[in-house]
Amino acid sequence: MKKSCILSILVMSLALAACGRTEVCIYGGSSACATAAYSAAHEGCKVTVICPDVTIGGMTTGGLGQTDIGNKQAVTGLSRKFYRMLGEHYGKLEQWIFEPSVAEETLMKFLDSPRITLIQGFHIIAVEKNGTRITAIRCVDEAGETRTITADQFIDCSYEGDLMALSGVTYRVGREDNSEYSETWDGYQMLGGHQFRDGVDPFVEKGNPDSGLLWGISDLQEQPAGSGNNLVQAYNYRICLTDDPDNMIPLERPADYDSTRYELLVRVFESDPDPNLNNYFIWSRMPNHKTDINNRGPFSTDMIGMNHDYPEASWERRQEIIEAHKSYTLGLLYFYMTDPRVPSVLQEEVRRWGLPKDEYVRTDHWTHQLYLRECRRLVGEYVATQADCENRTEVPDGVGFAAYTMDSHNCERIVICRDGKYMVKNEGNVEVPGGHPYPVSYRSLTPKREECTNLLVPVCLSASHIAYGSIRMEPVFLEMGQASGLAAAMAGRGSVQEIDVPALCDRLVKDPCLDGKVPDILIDEGSEHLIVPEENWKLLHRGGCYGKGYYEYYGTGEANGFEYRIPENLAGEYDFYLFEPNHGCPQTKYVVSIGDMTDEVIFDRTKFVVEGQAAGEWFKLGTYSLKKGQGGSITLSSEVAGLHADALLLVRR
């Protein structure tokens, strides 16, 4: 980010100390704060963003570079703009894996506006209300300085939902009983994911219950499947390391290192020895020799069961929990590097890595953000549930889409007894696919109108535990932030529950990036009049596609006979992209015909790299000029079987 941009933000922050009055007040530094502020400011509002941290962006800038996508088609508006801005940095249309510092620099561009004031290092301690309206919030920094901000509208963009909670609205912590919303994947679940093998002994002295439980095992008891409780799924750090010797700071022994914390890991090695590091971590490579490391297996970076009091804890207690997670995580890496009981092949691999000198320079090269997968959840005008994730509901007021698996990490580590034998098990992990991308209701962002009428909650939004597990992804938070910023501007000094929601939805569709430009033209399986498959082509609805399906050639010999038609109402220069899945025939020939122009493009899959969680990537055919009334076509063929035809994207220059 340019120094002039940073300077302008600091000047505006100092000016606010004497003012304290704004139109839209945003609390919390998650990625949603950037799109919410940008949207409200775009509509002419004076916006104040209060970020308790030294860095904005939450997990997007905090190490989660391996973006949880679900389905690229679900990512819209400023959320997609963000990933395209990252693409510009890395030389692609869109970039879904990235370095933390690049994400921060990119998100800060959304806040580069004279209408936006950023205050950092202050956390909320009180909310003032008059009836159903918040009138002001009071915040404090580590030195004890307080600031009071008054505003017409408030947006809670924190992961904790502190503004929401202090405003007195209804919210939940933990897991509902399955019976509450007629669900099957909420509540207590002991499934096979990230699980210990049967027979792993839980006691300090194997076979001796009197010796006590190993560190990390609770004394909680088994419960009926689906029963509700207030336990919270595990937190962890998404770890950014580097194997570049010139950019590396060696990992050191934590001051409070205690190897007994990792005795259970030794028993994992004993029960299931495996030389592959990726069976103990999700060790994802990011650009420029960096990582995004996540939890995998029965004993990994998730500090299971050590976060249950975090959502309702005091600020001071939360800092203790955060420090405990940091100590546990650095200790885990140090244990891998030094303990002789770690298999040598794993030890040698971890020793290759260290902290990156060029990341998190303000926080000693360790991320500012603990991965708070779930804290409080609003109980608003609409509660999203498993039925939404499975496309079994009608949501007419969708302001964005979610598409991820119904996902919950483990909540507790307990002892069970089977056939007279005690063993350790993890409980709470769920990874169940839902349906196709589904809309997130505007009413999930609003409290009940009798409780508060000028508050929007795009992060701790209204959803059951298991539905939140699908919604709670950073691209969705970016979308919900945008919708909240626009809604706050539309509400003015009125009620967020009474805005013209159809007009909001229409705006998000017709001007998704708030730049007045023509939205992308997507030609996919739903564009029947623009897709002309001949015989021997089938429309398949399965994974590995963009949207809900793709076409596959099932004839013999040379594959051909598929045409995309270019709409005749387009004019101007467009970049043409085709979505290529990570499987299929090695080479495809595309013929682009526009007027008298014919262009032949060869796609070589052997040189095509699909990164991250995406099922495919956009392949650029080229840039073409269109004239209104002209139209055109793209045909494809291959000399071998396995030819696919998925989505065509036209991006106006």
Side-chain angles (χ1 to χ4, degrees), residues 205-249:
E205 180 185 325
K206 290 182 181 180
N208 181 9
D210 293 336
S211 65
L213 297 172
L214 288 175
W215 184 92
I217 303 175
S218 76
D219 58 1
L220 296 172
Q221 303 298 309
E222 287 190 82
Q223 301 295 322
S227 56
N229 56 44
N230 62 357
L231 303 185
V232 180
Q233 61 176 305
Y235 300 163
N236 75 335
Y237 280 103
R238 300 293 287 258
I239 310 169
C240 182
L241 301 179
T242 182
D243 63 352
D244 178 359
D246 295 330
N247 190 35
M248 185 189 300
I249 300 171

mmCIF file of all heavy atoms in Angstrom, residues 205-249:
data_model
loop_
_atom_site.group_PDB
_atom_site.id
_atom_site.type_symbol
_atom_site.label_atom_id
_atom_site.label_comp_id
_atom_site.label_asym_id
_atom_site.label_seq_id
_atom_site.Cartn_x
_atom_site.Cartn_y
_atom_site.Cartn_z
ATOM 1 N N GLU A 205 -0.275 -43.682 32.179
ATOM 2 C CA GLU A 205 0.335 -45.013 32.184
ATOM 3 C C GLU A 205 -0.630 -45.939 31.468
ATOM 4 O O GLU A 205 -1.762 -46.129 31.907
ATOM 5 C CB GLU A 205 0.562 -45.481 33.625
ATOM 6 C CG GLU A 205 1.200 -46.855 33.730
ATOM 7 C CD GLU A 205 1.290 -47.329 35.174
ATOM 8 O OE1 GLU A 205 1.510 -46.465 36.054
ATOM 9 O OE2 GLU A 205 1.113 -48.539 35.408
ATOM 10 N N LYS A 206 -0.205 -46.476 30.368
ATOM 11 C CA LYS A 206 -1.104 -47.264 29.538
ATOM 12 C C LYS A 206 -1.801 -48.348 30.359
ATOM 13 O O LYS A 206 -1.158 -49.081 31.118
ATOM 14 C CB LYS A 206 -0.340 -47.911 28.383
ATOM 15 C CG LYS A 206 0.141 -46.921 27.331
ATOM 16 C CD LYS A 206 0.855 -47.633 26.186
ATOM 17 C CE LYS A 206 1.362 -46.657 25.148
ATOM 18 N NZ LYS A 206 2.063 -47.337 24.030
ATOM 19 N N GLY A 207 -3.132 -48.412 30.188
ATOM 20 C CA GLY A 207 -3.929 -49.422 30.858
ATOM 21 C C GLY A 207 -4.266 -49.115 32.302
ATOM 22 O O GLY A 207 -4.952 -49.915 32.951
ATOM 23 N N ASN A 208 -3.813 -47.971 32.833
ATOM 24 C CA ASN A 208 -4.024 -47.657 34.249
ATOM 25 C C ASN A 208 -4.844 -46.379 34.394
ATOM 26 O O ASN A 208 -4.289 -45.272 34.361
ATOM 27 C CB ASN A 208 -2.687 -47.498 34.961
ATOM 28 C CG ASN A 208 -2.862 -47.193 36.441
ATOM 29 O OD1 ASN A 208 -3.975 -47.264 36.985
ATOM 30 N ND2 ASN A 208 -1.762 -46.856 37.097
ATOM 31 N N PRO A 209 -6.171 -46.488 34.581
ATOM 32 C CA PRO A 209 -7.005 -45.290 34.742
ATOM 33 C C PRO A 209 -6.585 -44.426 35.924
ATOM 34 O O PRO A 209 -6.780 -43.207 35.905
ATOM 35 C CB PRO A 209 -8.407 -45.872 34.946
ATOM 36 C CG PRO A 209 -8.357 -47.222 34.319
ATOM 37 C CD PRO A 209 -6.960 -47.725 34.554
ATOM 38 N N ASP A 210 -6.006 -45.031 36.950
ATOM 39 C CA ASP A 210 -5.616 -44.272 38.135
ATOM 40 C C ASP A 210 -4.455 -43.312 37.855
ATOM 41 O O ASP A 210 -4.197 -42.402 38.651
ATOM 42 C CB ASP A 210 -5.230 -45.216 39.264
ATOM 43 C CG ASP A 210 -6.422 -46.016 39.773
ATOM 44 O OD1 ASP A 210 -7.561 -45.531 39.604
ATOM 45 O OD2 ASP A 210 -6.203 -47.113 40.306
ATOM 46 N N SER A 211 -3.756 -43.514 36.748
ATOM 47 C CA SER A 211 -2.618 -42.642 36.439
ATOM 48 C C SER A 211 -3.045 -41.304 35.846
ATOM 49 O O SER A 211 -2.224 -40.398 35.692
ATOM 50 C CB SER A 211 -1.664 -43.351 35.466
ATOM 51 O OG SER A 211 -2.305 -43.578 34.213
ATOM 52 N N GLY A 212 -4.325 -41.177 35.517
ATOM 53 C CA GLY A 212 -4.836 -39.927 34.969
ATOM 54 C C GLY A 212 -4.820 -39.901 33.453
ATOM 55 O O GLY A 212 -4.252 -40.779 32.792
ATOM 56 N N LEU A 213 -5.460 -38.881 32.919
ATOM 57 C CA LEU A 213 -5.580 -38.743 31.470
ATOM 58 C C LEU A 213 -4.410 -37.959 30.893
ATOM 59 O O LEU A 213 -3.878 -37.044 31.535
ATOM 60 C CB LEU A 213 -6.884 -38.029 31.108
ATOM 61 C CG LEU A 213 -8.179 -38.738 31.501
ATOM 62 C CD1 LEU A 213 -9.382 -37.823 31.269
ATOM 63 C CD2 LEU A 213 -8.345 -40.033 30.703
ATOM 64 N N LEU A 214 -4.021 -38.319 29.695
ATOM 65 C CA LEU A 214 -3.008 -37.541 28.995
ATOM 66 C C LEU A 214 -3.522 -36.131 28.727
ATOM 67 O O LEU A 214 -4.737 -35.888 28.645
ATOM 68 C CB LEU A 214 -2.646 -38.216 27.669
ATOM 69 C CG LEU A 214 -1.835 -39.510 27.757
ATOM 70 C CD1 LEU A 214 -1.655 -40.122 26.381
ATOM 71 C CD2 LEU A 214 -0.476 -39.256 28.412
ATOM 72 N N TRP A 215 -2.577 -35.200 28.575
ATOM 73 C CA TRP A 215 -2.938 -33.809 28.298
ATOM 74 C C TRP A 215 -3.814 -33.732 27.040
ATOM 75 O O TRP A 215 -3.558 -34.411 26.043
ATOM 76 C CB TRP A 215 -1.675 -32.975 28.084
ATOM 77 C CG TRP A 215 -1.956 -31.509 27.889
ATOM 78 C CD1 TRP A 215 -1.992 -30.558 28.849
ATOM 79 C CD2 TRP A 215 -2.266 -30.856 26.655
ATOM 80 N NE1 TRP A 215 -2.301 -29.336 28.304
ATOM 81 C CE2 TRP A 215 -2.485 -29.490 26.946
ATOM 82 C CE3 TRP A 215 -2.397 -31.290 25.335
ATOM 83 C CZ2 TRP A 215 -2.805 -28.547 25.978
ATOM 84 C CZ3 TRP A 215 -2.731 -30.349 24.361
ATOM 85 C CH2 TRP A 215 -2.930 -29.001 24.679
ATOM 86 N N GLY A 216 -4.853 -32.890 27.112
ATOM 87 C CA GLY A 216 -5.723 -32.663 25.960
ATOM 88 C C GLY A 216 -6.977 -33.494 25.958
ATOM 89 O O GLY A 216 -7.847 -33.292 25.095
ATOM 90 N N ILE A 217 -7.101 -34.429 26.908
ATOM 91 C CA ILE A 217 -8.306 -35.263 26.987
ATOM 92 C C ILE A 217 -9.175 -34.736 28.122
ATOM 93 O O ILE A 217 -8.703 -34.539 29.245
ATOM 94 C CB ILE A 217 -7.948 -36.742 27.233
ATOM 95 C CG1 ILE A 217 -7.011 -37.253 26.147
ATOM 96 C CG2 ILE A 217 -9.217 -37.586 27.284
ATOM 97 C CD1 ILE A 217 -6.521 -38.674 26.378
ATOM 98 N N SER A 218 -10.447 -34.510 27.848
ATOM 99 C CA SER A 218 -11.358 -33.978 28.861
ATOM 100 C C SER A 218 -12.044 -35.122 29.609
ATOM 101 O O SER A 218 -11.964 -36.288 29.209
ATOM 102 C CB SER A 218 -12.421 -33.094 28.207
ATOM 103 O OG SER A 218 -13.405 -33.887 27.562
ATOM 104 N N ASP A 219 -12.759 -34.757 30.679
ATOM 105 C CA ASP A 219 -13.521 -35.757 31.428
ATOM 106 C C ASP A 219 -14.994 -35.744 31.039
ATOM 107 O O ASP A 219 -15.843 -36.284 31.752
ATOM 108 C CB ASP A 219 -13.365 -35.531 32.935
ATOM 109 C CG ASP A 219 -13.825 -34.139 33.362
ATOM 110 O OD1 ASP A 219 -14.288 -33.365 32.491
ATOM 111 O OD2 ASP A 219 -13.719 -33.826 34.561
ATOM 112 N N LEU A 220 -15.319 -35.117 29.906
ATOM 113 C CA LEU A 220 -16.698 -35.109 29.421
ATOM 114 C C LEU A 220 -17.109 -36.512 28.996
ATOM 115 O O LEU A 220 -16.268 -37.344 28.614
ATOM 116 C CB LEU A 220 -16.848 -34.132 28.257
ATOM 117 C CG LEU A 220 -16.594 -32.651 28.597
ATOM 118 C CD1 LEU A 220 -16.577 -31.801 27.329
ATOM 119 C CD2 LEU A 220 -17.648 -32.142 29.566
ATOM 120 N N GLN A 221 -18.415 -36.747 29.032
ATOM 121 C CA GLN A 221 -18.942 -38.082 28.750
ATOM 122 C C GLN A 221 -19.619 -38.135 27.377
ATOM 123 O O GLN A 221 -19.992 -37.112 26.804
ATOM 124 C CB GLN A 221 -19.964 -38.466 29.836
ATOM 125 C CG GLN A 221 -19.411 -38.419 31.252
ATOM 126 C CD GLN A 221 -18.271 -39.398 31.462
ATOM 127 O OE1 GLN A 221 -18.379 -40.586 31.148
ATOM 128 N NE2 GLN A 221 -17.158 -38.910 31.998
ATOM 129 N N GLU A 222 -19.759 -39.351 26.867
ATOM 130 C CA GLU A 222 -20.497 -39.543 25.620
ATOM 131 C C GLU A 222 -21.936 -39.060 25.758
ATOM 132 O O GLU A 222 -22.524 -39.126 26.846
ATOM 133 C CB GLU A 222 -20.513 -41.025 25.235
ATOM 134 C CG GLU A 222 -19.201 -41.568 24.729
ATOM 135 C CD GLU A 222 -19.368 -42.960 24.152
ATOM 136 O OE1 GLU A 222 -19.776 -43.070 22.979
ATOM 137 O OE2 GLU A 222 -19.119 -43.932 24.896
ATOM 138 N N GLN A 223 -22.495 -38.588 24.642
ATOM 139 C CA GLN A 223 -23.867 -38.107 24.608
ATOM 140 C C GLN A 223 -24.606 -38.754 23.437
ATOM 141 O O GLN A 223 -23.984 -39.265 22.505
ATOM 142 C CB GLN A 223 -23.892 -36.581 24.458
ATOM 143 C CG GLN A 223 -23.175 -35.823 25.562
ATOM 144 C CD GLN A 223 -23.843 -35.989 26.912
ATOM 145 O OE1 GLN A 223 -25.067 -36.026 27.008
ATOM 146 N NE2 GLN A 223 -23.037 -36.101 27.967
ATOM 147 N N PRO A 224 -25.930 -38.733 23.455
ATOM 148 C CA PRO A 224 -26.670 -39.246 22.302
ATOM 149 C C PRO A 224 -26.346 -38.437 21.046
ATOM 150 O O PRO A 224 -26.173 -37.217 21.108
ATOM 151 C CB PRO A 224 -28.137 -39.074 22.709
ATOM 152 C CG PRO A 224 -28.116 -38.981 24.204
ATOM 153 C CD PRO A 224 -26.828 -38.318 24.555
ATOM 154 N N ALA A 225 -26.265 -39.102 19.919
ATOM 155 C CA ALA A 225 -25.968 -38.418 18.661
ATOM 156 C C ALA A 225 -26.995 -37.327 18.391
ATOM 157 O O ALA A 225 -28.196 -37.527 18.553
ATOM 158 C CB ALA A 225 -25.960 -39.419 17.506
ATOM 159 N N GLY A 226 -26.513 -36.162 18.022
ATOM 160 C CA GLY A 226 -27.394 -35.057 17.679
ATOM 161 C C GLY A 226 -27.852 -34.221 18.851
ATOM 162 O O GLY A 226 -28.592 -33.247 18.659
ATOM 163 N N SER A 227 -27.423 -34.556 20.066
ATOM 164 C CA SER A 227 -27.873 -33.784 21.227
ATOM 165 C C SER A 227 -27.111 -32.466 21.304
ATOM 166 O O SER A 227 -25.920 -32.386 21.008
ATOM 167 C CB SER A 227 -27.676 -34.591 22.510
ATOM 168 O OG SER A 227 -26.329 -34.995 22.661
ATOM 169 N N GLY A 228 -27.809 -31.422 21.715
ATOM 170 C CA GLY A 228 -27.222 -30.101 21.757
ATOM 171 C C GLY A 228 -26.382 -29.861 22.990
ATOM 172 O O GLY A 228 -26.570 -30.488 24.030
ATOM 173 N N ASN A 229 -25.434 -28.937 22.889
ATOM 174 C CA ASN A 229 -24.640 -28.486 24.035
ATOM 175 C C ASN A 229 -23.980 -27.164 23.670
ATOM 176 O O ASN A 229 -24.128 -26.663 22.561
ATOM 177 C CB ASN A 229 -23.596 -29.542 24.449
ATOM 178 C CG ASN A 229 -22.680 -29.933 23.309
ATOM 179 O OD1 ASN A 229 -22.200 -29.085 22.565
ATOM 180 N ND2 ASN A 229 -22.431 -31.231 23.164
ATOM 181 N N ASN A 230 -23.254 -26.577 24.608
ATOM 182 C CA ASN A 230 -22.653 -25.265 24.371
ATOM 183 C C ASN A 230 -21.180 -25.343 23.989
ATOM 184 O O ASN A 230 -20.449 -24.351 24.086
ATOM 185 C CB ASN A 230 -22.820 -24.373 25.610
ATOM 186 C CG ASN A 230 -22.118 -24.944 26.838
ATOM 187 O OD1 ASN A 230 -21.550 -26.029 26.774
ATOM 188 N ND2 ASN A 230 -22.171 -24.217 27.935
ATOM 189 N N LEU A 231 -20.728 -26.499 23.542
ATOM 190 C CA LEU A 231 -19.332 -26.647 23.144
ATOM 191 C C LEU A 231 -19.095 -25.991 21.778
ATOM 192 O O LEU A 231 -19.971 -25.978 20.914
ATOM 193 C CB LEU A 231 -18.947 -28.122 23.087
ATOM 194 C CG LEU A 231 -19.144 -28.927 24.376
ATOM 195 C CD1 LEU A 231 -18.596 -30.334 24.201
ATOM 196 C CD2 LEU A 231 -18.492 -28.239 25.568
ATOM 197 N N VAL A 232 -17.885 -25.480 21.601
ATOM 198 C CA VAL A 232 -17.513 -24.739 20.399
ATOM 199 C C VAL A 232 -16.438 -25.513 19.641
ATOM 200 O O VAL A 232 -15.505 -26.050 20.252
ATOM 201 C CB VAL A 232 -16.989 -23.337 20.774
ATOM 202 C CG1 VAL A 232 -16.590 -22.558 19.526
ATOM 203 C CG2 VAL A 232 -18.034 -22.566 21.571
ATOM 204 N N GLN A 233 -16.577 -25.565 18.323
ATOM 205 C CA GLN A 233 -15.579 -26.295 17.543
ATOM 206 C C GLN A 233 -14.196 -25.672 17.712
ATOM 207 O O GLN A 233 -14.045 -24.487 17.991
ATOM 208 C CB GLN A 233 -15.967 -26.344 16.069
ATOM 209 C CG GLN A 233 -16.092 -25.010 15.370
ATOM 210 C CD GLN A 233 -16.394 -25.183 13.894
ATOM 211 O OE1 GLN A 233 -15.665 -25.878 13.172
ATOM 212 N NE2 GLN A 233 -17.481 -24.575 13.435
ATOM 213 N N ALA A 234 -13.171 -26.496 17.544
ATOM 214 C CA ALA A 234 -11.798 -26.124 17.891
ATOM 215 C C ALA A 234 -11.284 -24.961 17.058
ATOM 216 O O ALA A 234 -11.635 -24.782 15.892
ATOM 217 C CB ALA A 234 -10.884 -27.331 17.722
ATOM 218 N N TYR A 235 -10.407 -24.181 17.686
ATOM 219 C CA TYR A 235 -9.675 -23.117 17.022
ATOM 220 C C TYR A 235 -8.251 -23.601 16.723
ATOM 221 O O TYR A 235 -7.751 -24.544 17.343
ATOM 222 C CB TYR A 235 -9.586 -21.871 17.900
ATOM 223 C CG TYR A 235 -10.907 -21.243 18.295
ATOM 224 C CD1 TYR A 235 -10.967 -20.348 19.357
ATOM 225 C CD2 TYR A 235 -12.099 -21.539 17.620
ATOM 226 C CE1 TYR A 235 -12.162 -19.746 19.731
ATOM 227 C CE2 TYR A 235 -13.298 -20.954 17.983
ATOM 228 C CZ TYR A 235 -13.324 -20.056 19.053
ATOM 229 O OH TYR A 235 -14.508 -19.474 19.420
ATOM 230 N N ASN A 236 -7.611 -22.915 15.805
ATOM 231 C CA ASN A 236 -6.188 -23.172 15.556
ATOM 232 C C ASN A 236 -5.592 -21.972 14.851
ATOM 233 O O ASN A 236 -6.266 -20.967 14.617
ATOM 234 C CB ASN A 236 -5.978 -24.461 14.746
ATOM 235 C CG ASN A 236 -6.314 -24.317 13.278
ATOM 236 O OD1 ASN A 236 -7.103 -23.462 12.881
ATOM 237 N ND2 ASN A 236 -5.741 -25.161 12.441
ATOM 238 N N TYR A 237 -4.316 -22.068 14.549
ATOM 239 C CA TYR A 237 -3.657 -21.073 13.711
ATOM 240 C C TYR A 237 -3.444 -21.653 12.324
ATOM 241 O O TYR A 237 -3.057 -22.819 12.186
ATOM 242 C CB TYR A 237 -2.307 -20.661 14.301
ATOM 243 C CG TYR A 237 -2.416 -19.644 15.415
ATOM 244 C CD1 TYR A 237 -2.272 -20.035 16.744
ATOM 245 C CD2 TYR A 237 -2.659 -18.306 15.139
ATOM 246 C CE1 TYR A 237 -2.365 -19.098 17.766
ATOM 247 C CE2 TYR A 237 -2.764 -17.376 16.154
ATOM 248 C CZ TYR A 237 -2.623 -17.771 17.463
ATOM 249 O OH TYR A 237 -2.726 -16.855 18.464
ATOM 250 N N ARG A 238 -3.706 -20.848 11.311
ATOM 251 C CA ARG A 238 -3.298 -21.198 9.957
ATOM 252 C C ARG A 238 -1.878 -20.657 9.809
ATOM 253 O O ARG A 238 -1.647 -19.448 9.814
ATOM 254 C CB ARG A 238 -4.255 -20.589 8.941
ATOM 255 C CG ARG A 238 -5.705 -21.057 9.097
ATOM 256 C CD ARG A 238 -5.886 -22.547 8.785
ATOM 257 N NE ARG A 238 -5.789 -22.813 7.374
ATOM 258 C CZ ARG A 238 -6.846 -23.037 6.559
ATOM 259 N NH1 ARG A 238 -8.080 -23.033 7.052
ATOM 260 N NH2 ARG A 238 -6.687 -23.288 5.289
ATOM 261 N N ILE A 239 -0.929 -21.564 9.700
ATOM 262 C CA ILE A 239 0.478 -21.230 9.901
ATOM 263 C C ILE A 239 1.162 -20.887 8.580
ATOM 264 O O ILE A 239 1.151 -21.674 7.638
ATOM 265 C CB ILE A 239 1.218 -22.405 10.562
ATOM 266 C CG1 ILE A 239 0.450 -22.888 11.808
ATOM 267 C CG2 ILE A 239 2.635 -22.000 10.941
ATOM 268 C CD1 ILE A 239 0.963 -24.203 12.354
ATOM 269 N N CYS A 240 1.774 -19.724 8.553
ATOM 270 C CA CYS A 240 2.571 -19.307 7.402
ATOM 271 C C CYS A 240 4.047 -19.482 7.735
ATOM 272 O O CYS A 240 4.595 -18.768 8.579
ATOM 273 C CB CYS A 240 2.274 -17.852 7.042
ATOM 274 S SG CYS A 240 3.193 -17.275 5.592
ATOM 275 N N LEU A 241 4.677 -20.459 7.096
ATOM 276 C CA LEU A 241 6.121 -20.693 7.208
ATOM 277 C C LEU A 241 6.757 -20.540 5.834
ATOM 278 O O LEU A 241 6.063 -20.425 4.824
ATOM 279 C CB LEU A 241 6.390 -22.101 7.754
ATOM 280 C CG LEU A 241 5.822 -22.452 9.130
ATOM 281 C CD1 LEU A 241 6.181 -23.896 9.490
ATOM 282 C CD2 LEU A 241 6.305 -21.491 10.205
ATOM 283 N N THR A 242 8.065 -20.561 5.800
ATOM 284 C CA THR A 242 8.792 -20.517 4.533
ATOM 285 C C THR A 242 9.953 -21.499 4.566
ATOM 286 O O THR A 242 10.520 -21.773 5.631
ATOM 287 C CB THR A 242 9.330 -19.102 4.237
ATOM 288 O OG1 THR A 242 9.997 -19.092 2.974
ATOM 289 C CG2 THR A 242 10.299 -18.640 5.317
ATOM 290 N N ASP A 243 10.309 -22.024 3.391
ATOM 291 C CA ASP A 243 11.511 -22.853 3.270
ATOM 292 C C ASP A 243 12.586 -22.139 2.459
ATOM 293 O O ASP A 243 13.538 -22.755 1.997
ATOM 294 C CB ASP A 243 11.187 -24.215 2.663
ATOM 295 C CG ASP A 243 10.638 -24.119 1.240
ATOM 296 O OD1 ASP A 243 10.369 -22.996 0.770
ATOM 297 O OD2 ASP A 243 10.471 -25.174 0.595
ATOM 298 N N ASP A 244 12.433 -20.823 2.308
ATOM 299 C CA ASP A 244 13.434 -20.005 1.631
ATOM 300 C C ASP A 244 14.482 -19.581 2.658
ATOM 301 O O ASP A 244 14.197 -18.767 3.551
ATOM 302 C CB ASP A 244 12.760 -18.777 1.015
ATOM 303 C CG ASP A 244 13.750 -17.851 0.324
ATOM 304 O OD1 ASP A 244 14.963 -18.139 0.331
ATOM 305 O OD2 ASP A 244 13.308 -16.820 -0.222
ATOM 306 N N PRO A 245 15.708 -20.091 2.581
ATOM 307 C CA PRO A 245 16.724 -19.770 3.600
ATOM 308 C C PRO A 245 16.988 -18.275 3.739
ATOM 309 O O PRO A 245 17.303 -17.795 4.837
ATOM 310 C CB PRO A 245 17.969 -20.519 3.102
ATOM 311 C CG PRO A 245 17.454 -21.579 2.190
ATOM 312 C CD PRO A 245 16.213 -21.017 1.552
ATOM 313 N N ASP A 246 16.839 -17.524 2.657
ATOM 314 C CA ASP A 246 17.124 -16.091 2.704
ATOM 315 C C ASP A 246 15.989 -15.298 3.348
ATOM 316 O O ASP A 246 16.156 -14.111 3.633
ATOM 317 C CB ASP A 246 17.375 -15.564 1.290
ATOM 318 C CG ASP A 246 18.624 -16.160 0.660
ATOM 319 O OD1 ASP A 246 19.563 -16.493 1.425
ATOM 320 O OD2 ASP A 246 18.656 -16.315 -0.572
ATOM 321 N N ASN A 247 14.851 -15.943 3.552
ATOM 322 C CA ASN A 247 13.687 -15.242 4.116
ATOM 323 C C ASN A 247 13.219 -15.895 5.411
ATOM 324 O O ASN A 247 12.096 -15.713 5.841
ATOM 325 C CB ASN A 247 12.545 -15.220 3.082
ATOM 326 C CG ASN A 247 11.403 -14.311 3.494
ATOM 327 O OD1 ASN A 247 11.612 -13.261 4.103
ATOM 328 N ND2 ASN A 247 10.184 -14.720 3.176
ATOM 329 N N MET A 248 14.087 -16.672 6.034
ATOM 330 C CA MET A 248 13.653 -17.534 7.134
ATOM 331 C C MET A 248 14.213 -17.097 8.484
ATOM 332 O O MET A 248 15.386 -16.750 8.603
ATOM 333 C CB MET A 248 14.078 -18.979 6.864
ATOM 334 C CG MET A 248 13.581 -19.984 7.891
ATOM 335 S SD MET A 248 14.324 -21.624 7.653
ATOM 336 C CE MET A 248 13.770 -22.011 5.986
ATOM 337 N N ILE A 249 13.336 -17.121 9.495
ATOM 338 C CA ILE A 249 13.731 -16.970 10.891
ATOM 339 C C ILE A 249 13.524 -18.326 11.553
ATOM 340 O O ILE A 249 12.409 -18.860 11.536
ATOM 341 C CB ILE A 249 12.879 -15.905 11.598
ATOM 342 C CG1 ILE A 249 13.041 -14.553 10.905
ATOM 343 C CG2 ILE A 249 13.252 -15.807 13.071
ATOM 344 C CD1 ILE A 249 12.076 -13.507 11.406
#
